[in-house]
Coordinates of all heavy atoms in Angstrom, one line a residue:
M21 N 0.8 -1.2 0.0 CA 0.0 0.0 0.0 C 0.9 1.2 0.0 O 1.8 1.3 0.8 CB -0.9 0.0 1.2 CG -1.6 1.3 1.5 SD -3.3 1.5 1.2 CE -4.0 -0.1 1.5
L22 N 0.6 2.2 -0.9 CA 1.3 3.4 -0.9 C 0.7 4.4 0.1 O -0.4 4.4 0.4 CB 1.2 4.0 -2.3 CG 1.8 3.3 -3.5 CD1 1.4 4.0 -4.8 CD2 3.3 3.1 -3.3
L23 N 1.6 5.3 0.6 CA 1.2 6.4 1.4 C 1.5 7.6 0.6 O 2.6 8.0 0.2 CB 2.1 6.5 2.7 CG 1.6 7.5 3.7 CD1 0.2 7.2 4.2 CD2 2.6 7.5 4.9
I24 N 0.4 8.3 0.2 CA 0.4 9.5 -0.7 C 0.2 10.8 0.1 O -0.7 10.9 0.9 CB -0.6 9.4 -1.8 CG1 -0.3 8.1 -2.6 CG2 -0.6 10.6 -2.6 CD1 -1.4 7.8 -3.7
H25 N 1.2 11.7 0.0 CA 1.1 13.0 0.7 C 0.4 14.0 -0.1 O 1.0 14.7 -0.9 CB 2.5 13.5 1.1 CG 3.2 12.6 2.1 ND1 3.2 12.8 3.4 CD2 3.9 11.4 1.9 CE1 3.9 11.9 4.0 NE2 4.3 11.0 3.1
C26 N -0.9 14.0 0.0 CA -1.8 14.9 -0.7 C -1.4 16.4 -0.3 O -1.3 16.6 0.9 CB -3.2 14.7 -0.4 SG -4.4 15.9 -1.2
P27 N -1.2 17.3 -1.3 CA -0.8 18.6 -0.9 C -1.9 19.4 -0.1 O -1.6 20.4 0.4 CB -0.4 19.3 -2.2 CG -1.1 18.5 -3.3 CD -1.2 17.1 -2.7
Y28 N -3.1 18.9 -0.2 CA -4.2 19.6 0.5 C -4.6 18.9 1.8 O -5.1 19.6 2.7 CB -5.4 19.6 -0.5 CG -5.0 20.2 -1.8 CD1 -4.9 19.3 -2.9 CD2 -4.8 21.5 -2.0 CE1 -4.5 19.8 -4.1 CE2 -4.4 22.0 -3.2 CZ -4.3 21.2 -4.3 OH -3.9 21.7 -5.5
C29 N -4.4 17.6 1.9 CA -5.0 16.8 3.1 C -3.9 16.2 3.9 O -4.1 15.8 5.1 CB -5.8 15.7 2.6 SG -7.2 16.2 1.5
G30 N -2.6 16.1 3.4 CA -1.6 15.4 4.2 C -1.5 14.0 3.7 O -2.0 13.6 2.7
A31 N -0.8 13.2 4.6 CA -0.5 11.8 4.2 C -1.8 11.0 4.3 O -2.5 11.0 5.3 CB 0.5 11.2 5.2
R32 N -2.1 10.2 3.2 CA -3.3 9.4 3.2 C -2.9 8.1 2.5 O -2.0 8.0 1.7 CB -4.4 10.1 2.4 CG -4.9 11.4 3.0 CD -5.7 11.1 4.2 NE -6.5 12.2 4.7 CZ -6.0 13.1 5.5 NH1 -4.8 13.0 6.0 NH2 -6.8 14.1 5.9
A33 N -3.7 7.1 2.8 CA -3.5 5.7 2.2 C -3.9 5.8 0.7 O -4.8 6.5 0.3 CB -4.3 4.7 2.9
Q34 N -3.3 4.9 0.0 CA -3.6 4.8 -1.5 C -5.0 4.5 -1.7 O -5.6 4.8 -2.8 CB -2.7 3.7 -2.0 CG -2.9 3.3 -3.5 CD -2.2 2.1 -3.9 OE1 -1.3 1.6 -3.2 NE2 -2.4 1.7 -5.1
D35 N -5.7 3.8 -0.8 CA -7.1 3.4 -0.9 C -8.0 4.6 -1.2 O -9.1 4.5 -1.7 CB -7.6 2.7 0.3 CG -7.1 1.3 0.4 OD1 -6.4 0.9 -0.5 OD2 -7.3 0.7 1.5
E36 N -7.6 5.8 -0.7 CA -8.4 7.0 -0.9 C -8.2 7.7 -2.3 O -8.9 8.6 -2.6 CB -8.0 8.1 0.1 CG -8.3 7.7 1.6 CD -8.1 8.8 2.5 OE1 -7.9 9.9 2.1 OE2 -8.2 8.5 3.7
F37 N -7.4 7.1 -3.1 CA -7.1 7.7 -4.4 C -7.4 6.7 -5.6 O -7.4 5.5 -5.4 CB -5.6 8.0 -4.5 CG -5.1 9.0 -3.6 CD1 -4.8 8.8 -2.3 CD2 -4.9 10.3 -4.1 CE1 -4.3 9.7 -1.4 CE2 -4.4 11.3 -3.2 CZ -4.2 11.0 -1.9
H38 N -7.7 7.2 -6.7 CA -7.8 6.5 -7.9 C -6.8 6.9 -8.9 O -6.6 8.2 -9.1 CB -9.2 6.7 -8.6 CG -10.3 5.9 -8.0 ND1 -11.6 6.4 -7.9 CD2 -10.3 4.7 -7.3 CE1 -12.3 5.5 -7.3 NE2 -11.6 4.5 -6.9
Y39 N -6.1 6.0 -9.5 CA -5.1 6.3 -10.6 C -5.9 6.8 -11.8 O -6.9 6.2 -12.2 CB -4.3 5.1 -11.0 CG -3.4 5.2 -12.2 CD1 -2.2 5.9 -12.1 CD2 -3.8 4.8 -13.4 CE1 -1.4 6.1 -13.2 CE2 -3.0 4.9 -14.5 CZ -1.8 5.6 -14.4 OH -1.0 5.7 -15.5
R40 N -5.5 7.9 -12.4 CA -6.2 8.5 -13.5 C -5.4 8.6 -14.8 O -5.9 9.3 -15.8 CB -6.9 9.8 -13.2 CG -8.0 9.7 -12.2 CD -9.1 8.8 -12.7 NE -10.2 8.8 -11.8 CZ -11.2 8.0 -11.9 NH1 -11.2 7.1 -12.9 NH2 -12.2 8.0 -11.1
G41 N -4.2 8.1 -14.8 CA -3.5 8.1 -16.1 C -2.3 8.9 -16.1 O -1.9 9.6 -15.2
D42 N -1.7 8.9 -17.3 CA -0.4 9.6 -17.6 C -0.6 11.1 -17.6 O -1.5 11.6 -18.4 CB 0.1 9.1 -19.0 CG 1.4 9.6 -19.4 OD1 1.9 10.5 -18.8 OD2 2.0 9.0 -20.4
A43 N 0.2 11.8 -16.9 CA 0.0 13.3 -16.8 C 0.8 14.0 -17.9 O 0.8 15.2 -17.9 CB 0.4 13.8 -15.4
N44 N 1.6 13.2 -18.7 CA 2.4 13.9 -19.7 C 1.7 14.0 -21.1 O 2.2 14.6 -22.0 CB 3.7 13.1 -19.9 CG 4.6 13.2 -18.7 OD1 4.7 14.2 -18.2 ND2 5.1 12.0 -18.3
V45 N 0.5 13.4 -21.2 CA -0.2 13.4 -22.5 C -0.9 14.7 -22.7 O -1.6 15.2 -21.8 CB -1.3 12.2 -22.5 CG1 -2.1 12.3 -23.7 CG2 -0.6 10.9 -22.3
E46 N -0.7 15.3 -23.8 CA -1.4 16.5 -24.2 C -2.4 16.4 -25.3 O -2.1 15.6 -26.3 CB -0.3 17.6 -24.6 CG 0.6 18.0 -23.4 CD 1.5 19.1 -23.7 OE1 1.2 19.9 -24.7 OE2 2.5 19.2 -23.0
R47 N -3.5 17.0 -25.2 CA -4.5 16.9 -26.2 C -4.0 17.6 -27.5 O -3.5 18.7 -27.5 CB -5.8 17.7 -25.7 CG -6.9 17.6 -26.6 CD -8.1 18.4 -26.1 NE -9.3 18.2 -26.9 CZ -10.1 17.2 -26.8 NH1 -10.0 16.3 -25.9 NH2 -11.2 17.1 -27.7
P48 N -4.2 16.9 -28.6 CA -3.7 17.4 -29.9 C -4.6 18.6 -30.3 O -5.7 18.8 -29.8 CB -3.9 16.2 -30.9 CG -4.7 15.2 -30.2 CD -4.8 15.5 -28.8
A49 N -4.1 19.3 -31.3 CA -4.8 20.5 -31.9 C -6.1 20.0 -32.5 O -6.2 18.8 -32.9 CB -4.0 21.2 -32.9
P50 N -7.2 20.8 -32.6 CA -8.5 20.3 -33.1 C -8.4 19.7 -34.5 O -9.2 18.8 -34.7 CB -9.3 21.6 -33.1 CG -8.7 22.5 -32.1 CD -7.2 22.2 -32.1
H51 N -7.5 20.1 -35.3 CA -7.5 19.6 -36.7 C -6.2 18.7 -36.9 O -5.8 18.5 -38.0 CB -7.5 20.7 -37.7 CG -8.7 21.6 -37.6 ND1 -9.9 21.1 -37.9 CD2 -8.8 22.8 -37.1 CE1 -10.8 22.1 -37.6 NE2 -10.2 23.1 -37.2
A52 N -5.8 18.1 -35.8 CA -4.5 17.2 -35.9 C -4.8 15.9 -36.6 O -3.8 15.3 -37.1 CB -4.0 17.0 -34.5
G53 N -6.0 15.5 -36.8 CA -6.2 14.3 -37.5 C -6.6 13.1 -36.6 O -6.4 13.1 -35.4
Q54 N -7.1 12.0 -37.3 CA -7.6 10.9 -36.6 C -6.5 10.1 -35.8 O -6.7 9.7 -34.7 CB -8.3 9.9 -37.5 CG -9.0 8.8 -36.8 CD -9.9 8.0 -37.8 OE1 -9.9 8.2 -39.0 NE2 -10.6 7.1 -37.3
K55 N -5.4 10.0 -36.5 CA -4.3 9.2 -35.8 C -3.8 9.9 -34.6 O -3.6 9.3 -33.5 CB -3.1 9.1 -36.8 CG -1.8 8.6 -36.3 CD -1.8 7.1 -36.1 CE -0.4 6.6 -35.7 NZ -0.1 6.4 -34.4
A56 N -3.7 11.3 -34.6 CA -3.3 12.0 -33.4 C -4.3 11.8 -32.3 O -3.9 11.6 -31.1 CB -3.1 13.5 -33.7
F57 N -5.6 11.8 -32.6 CA -6.6 11.6 -31.5 C -6.7 10.2 -31.1 O -6.9 9.9 -29.9 CB -8.0 12.1 -32.0 CG -8.1 13.6 -31.8 CD1 -7.8 14.5 -32.8 CD2 -8.5 14.1 -30.6 CE1 -7.9 15.8 -32.6 CE2 -8.6 15.5 -30.3 CZ -8.3 16.3 -31.4
Y58 N -6.4 9.2 -32.0 CA -6.4 7.8 -31.6 C -5.2 7.7 -30.5 O -5.4 7.0 -29.5 CB -6.1 6.9 -32.8 CG -6.0 5.5 -32.4 CD1 -7.1 4.6 -32.2 CD2 -4.7 4.9 -32.1 CE1 -7.0 3.3 -31.9 CE2 -4.6 3.6 -31.7 CZ -5.7 2.8 -31.6 OH -5.6 1.5 -31.2
D59 N -4.1 8.2 -30.9 CA -2.9 8.1 -30.0 C -3.2 8.8 -28.6 O -2.8 8.3 -27.6 CB -1.7 8.7 -30.6 CG -1.1 7.8 -31.7 OD1 -1.6 6.7 -31.8 OD2 -0.3 8.3 -32.5
F60 N -3.9 9.9 -28.7 CA -4.2 10.7 -27.5 C -5.1 9.9 -26.5 O -5.0 9.8 -25.3 CB -4.9 12.0 -27.9 CG -5.5 12.7 -26.7 CD1 -4.7 13.3 -25.7 CD2 -6.9 12.9 -26.6 CE1 -5.3 14.0 -24.7 CE2 -7.4 13.6 -25.5 CZ -6.6 14.1 -24.6
V61 N -6.1 9.1 -27.1 CA -7.0 8.4 -26.3 C -6.5 7.0 -25.9 O -6.7 6.6 -24.7 CB -8.4 8.2 -27.0 CG1 -9.3 7.3 -26.3 CG2 -9.0 9.6 -27.3
Y62 N -5.8 6.3 -26.8 CA -5.5 4.9 -26.6 C -4.0 4.6 -26.4 O -3.7 3.6 -25.7 CB -6.1 4.0 -27.7 CG -7.6 4.1 -27.8 CD1 -8.2 4.8 -28.9 CD2 -8.4 3.5 -26.8 CE1 -9.6 4.8 -29.0 CE2 -9.7 3.6 -26.9 CZ -10.3 4.2 -28.0 OH -11.7 4.3 -28.1
A63 N -3.2 5.2 -27.1 CA -1.8 4.8 -27.1 C -1.0 5.4 -25.9 O -1.0 6.6 -25.7 CB -1.1 5.3 -28.4
R64 N -0.4 4.5 -25.1 CA 0.3 5.0 -23.9 C 1.6 4.2 -23.9 O 1.7 3.1 -24.3 CB -0.4 4.7 -22.6 CG -1.7 5.5 -22.4 CD -1.4 6.9 -22.2 NE -2.6 7.7 -22.0 CZ -3.3 8.3 -23.0 NH1 -2.8 8.3 -24.2 NH2 -4.3 9.0 -22.7
D65 N 2.6 4.9 -23.4 CA 3.9 4.3 -23.1 C 3.7 3.4 -21.8 O 2.8 3.7 -21.0 CB 5.0 5.3 -22.9 CG 5.3 6.1 -24.2 OD1 5.1 5.5 -25.3 OD2 5.8 7.2 -24.1
N66 N 4.6 2.5 -21.7 CA 4.6 1.7 -20.4 C 6.0 1.8 -19.8 O 6.8 0.9 -19.9 CB 4.3 0.3 -20.7 CG 4.0 -0.6 -19.5 OD1 3.8 0.0 -18.4 ND2 4.1 -1.9 -19.6
P67 N 6.3 3.0 -19.2 CA 7.6 3.3 -18.8 C 8.1 2.5 -17.6 O 7.3 2.1 -16.8 CB 7.6 4.8 -18.5 CG 6.2 5.0 -18.0 CD 5.4 4.1 -18.9
R68 N 9.4 2.2 -17.6 CA 10.0 1.6 -16.5 C 10.8 2.6 -15.8 O 11.7 3.2 -16.4 CB 10.9 0.4 -16.9 CG 11.6 -0.3 -15.8 CD 12.5 -1.4 -16.4 NE 13.3 -2.1 -15.4 CZ 12.9 -3.1 -14.6 NH1 11.7 -3.5 -14.8 NH2 13.7 -3.6 -13.7
G69 N 10.5 3.0 -14.6 CA 11.2 4.0 -13.8 C 10.2 5.2 -13.5 O 9.1 4.9 -13.2
W70 N 10.8 6.4 -13.5 CA 10.0 7.5 -13.0 C 9.0 7.9 -14.1 O 9.2 7.9 -15.3 CB 10.9 8.7 -12.7 CG 11.7 8.4 -11.5 CD1 13.1 8.0 -11.5 CD2 11.3 8.4 -10.2 NE1 13.4 7.8 -10.2 CE2 12.4 8.0 -9.4 CE3 10.1 8.7 -9.6 CZ2 12.3 7.9 -8.0 CZ3 10.0 8.6 -8.2 CH2 11.1 8.2 -7.4
H71 N 7.8 8.3 -13.6 CA 6.6 8.5 -14.4 C 5.7 9.5 -13.7 O 5.5 9.4 -12.5 CB 5.9 7.2 -14.6 CG 4.8 7.3 -15.7 ND1 3.5 7.0 -15.4 CD2 4.8 7.7 -16.9 CE1 2.8 7.1 -16.5 NE2 3.6 7.6 -17.5
V72 N 5.2 10.5 -14.4 CA 4.3 11.5 -13.8 C 2.9 11.1 -14.1 O 2.5 10.8 -15.3 CB 4.6 12.9 -14.4 CG1 3.6 13.9 -13.7 CG2 6.0 13.3 -14.1
E73 N 2.0 11.0 -13.1 CA 0.7 10.4 -13.2 C -0.3 11.3 -12.6 O -0.1 12.0 -11.6 CB 0.6 9.1 -12.5 CG 1.7 8.1 -13.0 CD 1.9 6.9 -12.1 OE1 1.6 7.0 -10.8 OE2 2.3 5.9 -12.6
W74 N -1.6 11.2 -13.1 CA -2.7 11.9 -12.4 C -3.3 10.9 -11.5 O -3.5 9.7 -11.8 CB -3.8 12.2 -13.5 CG -3.5 13.4 -14.3 CD1 -3.3 13.4 -15.6 CD2 -3.5 14.8 -13.9 NE1 -3.1 14.7 -16.1 CE2 -3.2 15.5 -15.0 CE3 -3.6 15.4 -12.7 CZ2 -3.1 16.9 -15.0 CZ3 -3.4 16.8 -12.6 CH2 -3.2 17.5 -13.7
W75 N -3.6 11.4 -10.2 CA -4.4 10.6 -9.3 C -5.5 11.5 -8.7 O -5.3 12.7 -8.6 CB -3.5 10.1 -8.1 CG -2.5 9.1 -8.5 CD1 -1.4 9.2 -9.3 CD2 -2.5 7.7 -8.0 NE1 -0.8 8.0 -9.3 CE2 -1.4 7.1 -8.6 CE3 -3.4 7.0 -7.1 CZ2 -1.1 5.7 -8.3 CZ3 -3.1 5.7 -6.9 CH2 -2.0 5.0 -7.5
H76 N -6.6 10.9 -8.5 CA -7.8 11.6 -8.0 C -8.0 11.2 -6.5 O -8.2 10.1 -6.2 CB -9.0 11.3 -8.8 CG -10.3 11.9 -8.4 ND1 -11.5 11.3 -8.4 CD2 -10.5 13.2 -7.9 CE1 -12.4 12.2 -7.9 NE2 -11.8 13.3 -7.6
H77 N -8.0 12.2 -5.6 CA -8.2 12.0 -4.2 C -9.7 12.0 -3.9 O -10.3 12.9 -3.3 CB -7.5 13.0 -3.3 CG -7.4 12.6 -1.9 ND1 -6.9 13.4 -0.9 CD2 -7.8 11.5 -1.3 CE1 -6.9 12.8 0.2 NE2 -7.5 11.6 0.0
Y78 N -10.4 10.9 -4.4 CA -11.9 10.8 -4.4 C -12.4 10.7 -3.0 O -13.5 11.2 -2.7 CB -12.3 9.6 -5.3 CG -12.2 8.3 -4.6 CD1 -13.2 7.7 -3.9 CD2 -11.0 7.6 -4.6 CE1 -13.1 6.5 -3.3 CE2 -10.8 6.4 -4.0 CZ -11.8 5.9 -3.3 OH -11.7 4.7 -2.7
A79 N -11.7 10.1 -2.0 CA -12.2 10.0 -0.7 C -11.7 11.0 0.3 O -11.8 10.9 1.5 CB -11.8 8.6 -0.1
G80 N -11.1 12.1 -0.3 CA -10.6 13.2 0.6 C -11.0 14.5 0.0 O -12.2 14.8 0.0
C81 N -10.1 15.3 -0.5 CA -10.4 16.6 -1.0 C -11.1 16.6 -2.3 O -11.6 17.6 -2.8 CB -9.2 17.5 -1.0 SG -7.9 16.8 -2.1
R82 N -11.1 15.5 -3.0 CA -11.7 15.3 -4.3 C -10.9 16.1 -5.4 O -11.5 16.4 -6.5 CB -13.2 15.6 -4.3 CG -14.0 14.8 -3.3 CD -15.4 14.9 -3.4 NE -15.9 14.6 -4.8 CZ -16.2 13.3 -5.2 NH1 -16.0 12.3 -4.4 NH2 -16.7 13.1 -6.4
R83 N -9.7 16.4 -5.1 CA -8.9 17.1 -6.1 C -8.0 16.1 -6.9 O -7.7 15.0 -6.4 CB -8.0 18.2 -5.4 CG -8.8 19.3 -4.8 CD -8.0 20.3 -4.2 NE -8.8 21.2 -3.5 CZ -8.3 22.3 -2.9 NH1 -7.0 22.6 -3.0 NH2 -9.1 23.1 -2.2
W84 N -7.6 16.5 -8.0 CA -6.6 15.8 -8.8 C -5.2 16.2 -8.5 O -5.0 17.4 -8.3 CB -6.9 15.9 -10.3 CG -8.1 15.3 -10.8 CD1 -9.4 15.4 -10.3 CD2 -8.2 14.4 -11.9 NE1 -10.2 14.6 -11.0 CE2 -9.6 14.0 -12.0 CE3 -7.3 13.9 -12.8 CZ2 -10.0 13.1 -13.0 CZ3 -7.7 13.1 -13.8 CH2 -9.1 12.7 -13.9
V85 N -4.3 15.3 -8.3 CA -2.9 15.6 -8.0 C -2.0 14.9 -9.0 O -2.3 13.9 -9.6 CB -2.5 15.3 -6.6 CG1 -3.3 16.1 -5.6 CG2 -2.7 13.8 -6.3
K86 N -0.8 15.6 -9.3 CA 0.2 15.0 -10.1 C 1.2 14.3 -9.2 O 1.7 15.0 -8.3 CB 0.9 16.0 -11.0 CG 0.2 16.4 -12.2 CD 1.1 17.4 -13.0 CE 0.4 17.9 -14.2 NZ 1.2 18.9 -14.9
I87 N 1.4 13.0 -9.4 CA 2.4 12.3 -8.6 C 3.5 11.8 -9.5 O 3.2 11.2 -10.6 CB 1.7 11.1 -8.0 CG1 0.6 11.6 -7.0 CG2 2.7 10.2 -7.3 CD1 -0.2 10.5 -6.2
E88 N 4.7 12.0 -9.1 CA 5.9 11.4 -9.8 C 6.2 10.2 -9.0 O 6.7 10.2 -7.9 CB 7.0 12.4 -9.8 CG 8.2 12.0 -10.7 CD 9.3 13.0 -10.7 OE1 9.3 14.0 -9.9 OE2 10.2 12.9 -11.5
R89 N 6.0 9.0 -9.7 CA 6.1 7.7 -9.0 C 7.1 6.8 -9.9 O 7.0 6.8 -11.1 CB 4.8 7.1 -8.9 CG 4.8 5.7 -8.2 CD 3.3 5.2 -8.1 NE 2.8 4.9 -9.4 CZ 2.8 3.7 -10.0 NH1 3.4 2.7 -9.4 NH2 2.3 3.5 -11.2
N90 N 7.9 6.0 -9.2 CA 8.7 5.1 -9.8 C 7.9 3.8 -10.1 O 7.4 3.2 -9.1 CB 10.0 4.8 -9.0 CG 11.0 4.0 -9.7 OD1 10.7 2.9 -10.3 ND2 12.2 4.5 -9.8
T91 N 7.8 3.4 -11.3 CA 6.9 2.3 -11.6 C 7.5 0.9 -11.2 O 6.9 -0.1 -11.3 CB 6.5 2.2 -13.1 OG1 7.8 2.2 -13.9 CG2 5.7 3.4 -13.5
V92 N 8.8 0.9 -10.9 CA 9.5 -0.3 -10.5 C 9.4 -0.4 -8.9 O 9.0 -1.5 -8.4 CB 10.9 -0.3 -10.9 CG1 11.6 -1.6 -10.4 CG2 11.0 -0.2 -12.4
T93 N 9.8 0.6 -8.2 CA 9.8 0.5 -6.8 C 8.6 1.1 -6.1 O 8.4 1.0 -4.9 CB 11.1 1.3 -6.3 OG1 10.9 2.7 -6.6 CG2 12.3 0.8 -6.9
H94 N 7.7 1.8 -6.8 CA 6.6 2.5 -6.3 C 6.9 3.7 -5.4 O 6.0 4.2 -4.6 CB 5.6 1.6 -5.6 CG 5.1 0.5 -6.6 ND1 4.2 0.8 -7.6 CD2 5.3 -0.8 -6.7 CE1 4.0 -0.3 -8.3 NE2 4.6 -1.3 -7.8
E95 N 8.2 4.1 -5.3 CA 8.6 5.2 -4.6 C 7.9 6.5 -5.2 O 7.9 6.6 -6.4 CB 10.1 5.4 -4.6 CG 10.6 6.6 -3.9 CD 12.1 6.8 -4.1 OE1 12.8 5.9 -4.7 OE2 12.6 7.8 -3.6
I96 N 7.5 7.4 -4.3 CA 6.9 8.6 -4.8 C 7.8 9.7 -4.4 O 8.2 9.9 -3.3 CB 5.5 8.9 -4.1 CG1 4.5 7.8 -4.5 CG2 5.0 10.2 -4.4 CD1 3.2 7.8 -3.9
R97 N 8.2 10.5 -5.5 CA 9.2 11.6 -5.3 C 8.5 12.9 -5.1 O 8.9 13.7 -4.3 CB 10.1 11.7 -6.6 CG 11.3 12.6 -6.4 CD 12.4 12.2 -7.3 NE 12.1 12.1 -8.7 CZ 13.0 11.6 -9.6 NH1 14.2 11.2 -9.3 NH2 12.6 11.6 -10.9
T98 N 7.4 13.2 -5.8 CA 6.7 14.5 -5.7 C 5.2 14.3 -5.8 O 4.8 13.4 -6.5 CB 7.1 15.5 -6.7 OG1 6.8 15.1 -8.0 CG2 8.6 15.9 -6.6
V99 N 4.5 15.1 -5.1 CA 3.0 15.1 -5.2 C 2.6 16.6 -5.2 O 2.9 17.3 -4.3 CB 2.3 14.4 -4.0 CG1 0.8 14.5 -4.2 CG2 2.7 13.0 -3.9
K100 N 2.0 17.0 -6.3 CA 1.6 18.4 -6.4 C 0.2 18.6 -7.0 O -0.3 17.7 -7.5 CB 2.6 19.1 -7.3 CG 4.0 19.1 -6.8 CD 5.0 20.0 -7.5 CE 6.3 20.0 -6.7 NZ 7.3 20.9 -7.4
G101 N -0.3 19.8 -6.8 CA -1.6 20.1 -7.4 C -1.5 20.2 -8.9 O -0.4 20.2 -9.5
P102 N -2.7 20.2 -9.6 CA -2.7 20.2 -11.0 C -2.0 21.3 -11.7 O -1.6 21.2 -12.9 CB -4.2 20.2 -11.4 CG -4.9 20.5 -10.1 CD -4.0 20.3 -9.0
T103 N -1.9 22.5 -11.1 CA -1.3 23.6 -11.8 C 0.2 23.8 -11.4 O 0.9 24.7 -11.9 CB -2.0 24.9 -11.4 OG1 -2.0 25.1 -10.0 CG2 -3.4 24.9 -11.9
Q104 N 0.7 22.9 -10.5 CA 2.1 23.0 -10.1 C 2.9 22.0 -11.0 O 2.5 20.9 -11.2 CB 2.2 22.6 -8.6 CG 1.5 23.5 -7.7 CD 1.4 22.9 -6.3 OE1 1.1 21.8 -6.1 NE2 1.8 23.8 -5.3
D105 N 4.0 22.5 -11.4 CA 4.9 21.7 -12.2 C 5.6 20.6 -11.3 O 6.0 21.0 -10.3 CB 6.0 22.6 -12.9 CG 6.7 21.8 -14.0 OD1 6.4 20.7 -14.3 OD2 7.6 22.5 -14.6
T106 N 5.6 19.4 -11.8 CA 6.2 18.3 -11.0 C 7.7 18.2 -11.2 O 8.4 17.3 -10.7 CB 5.6 17.0 -11.3 OG1 5.6 16.7 -12.7 CG2 4.2 17.0 -10.8
R107 N 8.3 19.0 -12.1 CA 9.7 18.8 -12.4 C 10.5 20.0 -11.8 O 10.0 21.0 -11.6 CB 10.0 18.7 -13.9 CG 9.4 17.4 -14.3 CD 9.3 17.3 -15.8 NE 8.4 16.3 -16.1 CZ 8.6 15.2 -16.8 NH1 9.8 15.0 -17.2 NH2 7.7 14.3 -17.1
Ligands
ZN13 ZN1 -6.5 15.5 -0.7

């Protein structure tokens, strides 16, 4: 079980959060084409190591946070609000 330090609530158990996906994906321009939107919706990297992710604190403040997590060790390096840069 991970212990996630929500920037709004403090340390909370992973059970209070839902993983919501890769935080590095950016929406393509409106006329970027079908392939760009297919990749935006379905294509994801499966990185080994550090990765920036969206998590939703659904059982707490109900805010989305960006978590920098190591996908091998599950170590969490940073947890920030959606408008704060994680790097
Ligand atoms: Zn929270």
Side-chain angles (χ1 to χ4, degrees):
M21 166 109 29
L22 296 175
L23 185 63
I24 298 173
H25 293 265
C26 175
Y28 309 104
C29 306
R32 296 290 193 269
Q34 175 189 352
D35 289 354
E36 294 188 8
F37 294 82
H38 283 148
Y39 172 80
R40 291 302 185 189
D42 186 345
N44 293 315
V45 177
E46 292 189 23
R47 185 181 183 86
H51 303 291
Q54 187 173 6
K55 170 78 169 93
F57 276 94
Y58 177 87
D59 289 346
F60 170 67
V61 174
Y62 297 109
R64 293 291 181 267
D65 293 333
N66 190 16
R68 179 179 173 86
W70 291 103
H71 189 235
V72 180
E73 304 166 331
W74 284 115
W75 287 70
H76 179 217
H77 195 184
Y78 76 95
C81 60
R82 303 188 59 81
R83 295 184 188 185
W84 287 51
V85 294
K86 278 184 185 176
I87 294 179
E88 189 177 12
R89 182 179 65 91
N90 190 308
T91 57
V92 177
T93 64
H94 299 291
E95 177 187 356
I96 294 175
R97 191 154 55 191
T98 60
V99 181
K100 295 192 175 180
T103 58
Q104 298 169 311
D105 193 2
T106 55
R107 295 169 198 239

